[in-house]
Amino acid sequence: SAEGLLKPEKASMLRNEAKRILKLGTSTNPLSKDEWKRLSELLDKDDLTYDEAIELRDLARKIIKEYGEYPEAWKLHIYASIMVGLAMLKKGKEKERQ
């Protein structure tokens, strides 16, 4: 939404769908408590740096390996991939300005 690609309410809905994966954090999982906490922190941010977006996608990939049967896992991965694309776009625009 910060880039004007999505309306704020649509961006919020996508983020909330991606956050549904956090409910799986209470069961046996491939992520540590610190990784679940970091995932939550990254999902709470409106704007991610490129490195943060890559970190989010890496966490999403770990979740896919364990919870690939859950739609929320794939929604998280889709959201993370979109955030990587937006961060790359932002990074490219910043280079153009220099």
Side-chain angles (χ1 to χ4, degrees), residues 10-28:
K10 295 245 187 223
S12 177
M13 186 263 317
L14 284 173
R15 184 178 313 121
N16 289 337
E17 281 296 308
K19 284 177 128 181
R20 290 177 65 192
I21 196 68
L22 295 173
K23 71 181 179 183
L24 296 175
T26 58
S27 63
T28 308

Side-chain angles (χ1 to χ4, degrees), residues 15-90:
R15 184 178 313 121
N16 289 337
E17 281 296 308
K19 284 177 128 181
R20 290 177 65 192
I21 196 68
L22 295 173
K23 71 181 179 183
L24 296 175
T26 58
S27 63
T28 308
N29 60 71
L31 273 70
S32 69
K33 272 188 167 183
D34 289 338
E35 288 174 317
W36 281 108
K37 182 179 177 193
R38 183 63 177 151
L39 175 62
S40 181
E41 290 169 356
L42 292 170
L43 289 172
D44 284 339
K45 295 181 88 173
D46 289 329
D47 193 26
L48 298 176
T49 65
Y50 177 75
D51 290 336
E52 289 172 332
I54 293 296
E55 181 182 4
L56 176 62
R57 190 183 63 191
D58 289 344
L59 291 170
R61 286 179 175 170
K62 279 185 167 184
I63 290 170
I64 286 292
K65 286 179 184 177
E66 183 70 22
Y67 301 113
E69 70 272 14
Y70 293 96
E72 293 86 359
W74 290 100
K75 290 175 184 178
L76 171 64
H77 190 269
I78 291 166
Y79 177 77
S81 297
I82 289 169
M83 295 308 287
V84 169
L86 292 174
M88 289 174 68
L89 181 64
K90 181 179 172 185

Side-chain angles (χ1 to χ4, degrees), residues 1-7 10 82 85-86 89 93:
S1 67
E3 295 290 327
L5 298 172
L6 294 172
K7 292 181 181 179
K10 295 245 187 223
I82 289 169
L86 292 174
L89 181 64
K93 286 182 180 180

